[in-house]
Amino acid sequence: MIVDDDFAGDPDGLAALAHQLLTPKTRVTLVTSSAVDPKLADAALAGRSAAAGRGTALELIRRAAARARHRQADDADLDRRRRVPGGG
């Protein structure tokens, strides 16, 4: 899955990216950040909306990866307890 959005704009793109990152059946292979239309961009983002969106998307990717690692550890712990008699 390739995800492209103006992640510095309204949050719909971030919600879509989070969904794709957290859906086990989806493999996100590329994320790109587009510039927000200058007519719609906040004055503080003028000329740097793609870079700002990149930073926001990277933070979300880091958080989703950490969540996935925790989920895998929890699943492994549960599997281990199921194999040990009286393990819970």
Side-chain angles (χ1 to χ4, degrees):
M1 165 85 49
I2 297 172
V3 181
D4 174 55
D5 200 86
D6 59 348
F7 298 110
D10 54 59
D12 65 332
L14 289 172
L17 177 58
H19 175 76
Q20 295 304 325
L21 292 170
L22 297 173
T23 300
K25 292 183 179 183
T26 301
R27 181 171 172 243
V28 177
T29 57
L30 178 67
V31 176
T32 62
S33 178
S34 302
V36 177
D37 183 332
K39 293 178 234 158
L40 304 174
D42 184 312
L45 291 176
R48 57 176 213 89
S49 64
R54 176 186 179 271
T56 304
L58 280 172
E59 179 61 25
L60 181 59
I61 291 166
R62 283 187 202 105
R63 289 177 184 227
R67 185 172 189 274
R69 283 191 300 274
H70 289 289
R71 185 175 50 226
Q72 288 172 344
D74 289 344
D75 290 349
D77 185 48
L78 181 59
D79 288 343
R80 208 172 16 261
R81 283 187 277 144
R82 286 181 179 156
R83 289 190 301 256
V84 176

